[in-house]
Amino acid sequence: MDFSEAKLKLQQLLNNVTPSELPKLLEWMRNSGELDQPLFDNNKAMLRSIADDLKAMLPVDAMLPSETTAHLKMQQRARPTVHVDSFLYSDEQVDSLCEEGTMSRNYCLSCGSIRTAPLDFISHSFSASELQFLFQNVLPDLTGRTLVDVGSRLGAVLYGVLHADVCTQDVLLQSADVLVMNNVFEYFMESSEQVRSWKFIMQNFRRPGSLLVSVPSLQESLNALQMPFQPGWVEEIPLVYDIYLGRDADPDAIKQIHLYRVT
């Protein structure tokens, strides 16, 4: 059954509902998590299992002492910021941790007072919903293709480990069909190193027709470094963001995903 057929049957069903009961049904459809159950398949179950295993091995903020640059840059932000890995924790799970006192969404403006303000949350990983959007709505069939995932943390697009500086991987970039870069440099490198890495990628990821997934957009990433956008390198492919991915999906985060084709 396609979308049009399903929509027609749903409208027919709603037309048969007792008028006094219709508002209750519509309210249930808007707010009940039960309608998300058909979206939970084996792929999501596997991702949740991976997340549960990782949570058992990591601190709540999922950051390691070795991530000194990321820690420093978070401390330099204008507002107090904590790292909450969106692959490990859904909004519902964050709420539960806050209720337990393990995590907080607010900080005190004046110690000992009731004056509080919301903390900024930041994640360097794709959430399960973002990965679902990426593989089901952004990328083509990847059978037989080479996908390179640069610097993703726990919500990795590809669980294959190559521990190396991307600037030493010219052959890999030149052979890649798909390159994924999720907020990859900003919190982990100084500006000069970011510029060096972007230049290297632009020089080596050049096979026509190859796809580049970037979060945020290339323009935003490069503008922050005052780097010019290299004309003729890639063209952006418009994406359809108006897709329901479940109650845990963050529409604003989904809209940060951009797709480009090497020209």
Side-chain angles (χ1 to χ4, degrees), residues 71 105 125 128 168 172 181 187 199 212 215 228 230 239 243 263:
H71 281 289
R105 289 188 180 273
S125 296
T168 66
L172 181 60
M181 304 178 67
Y187 280 85
K199 286 182 177 179
L212 169 64
V215 179
Q230 191 175 96
L239 298 177
I243 295 172
T263 57

Side-chain angles (χ1 to χ4, degrees), residues 50-113:
I50 293 171
D52 289 341
D53 288 343
L54 289 171
K55 279 189 283 190
M57 296 185 285
L58 293 166
V60 174
D61 67 0
M63 294 191 71
L64 301 176
S66 59
E67 297 181 275
T68 53
T69 301
H71 281 289
L72 179 61
K73 291 198 173 188
M74 287 174 60
Q75 292 170 3
Q76 293 172 342
R77 286 172 60 95
R79 287 161 49 95
T81 301
V82 294
H83 182 263
V84 180
D85 194 280
S86 58
F87 179 68
L88 299 186
Y89 300 102
S90 66
D91 279 347
E92 186 175 317
Q93 290 170 323
V94 170
D95 287 339
S96 296
L97 289 172
C98 290
E99 290 173 4
E100 296 169 3
T102 305
M103 189 180 291
S104 175
R105 289 188 180 273
N106 301 289
Y107 69 98
C108 183
L109 293 170
S110 177
C111 188
S113 80

Side-chain angles (χ1 to χ4, degrees), residues 223-240:
N223 286 345
L225 298 169
Q226 298 182 333
M227 283 186 68
F229 188 86
Q230 191 175 96
W233 175 40
V234 294
E235 60 181 1
E236 184 161 10
I237 301 173
L239 298 177
V240 177

Side-chain angles (χ1 to χ4, degrees), residues 38 56 72 74 86 92 98 112 141 143 145 164 185 200 202 254:
L72 179 61
M74 287 174 60
S86 58
E92 186 175 317
C98 290
D141 181 6
T143 303
R145 303 191 187 207
F185 297 137
F200 185 85
M202 291 178 188
I254 297 295

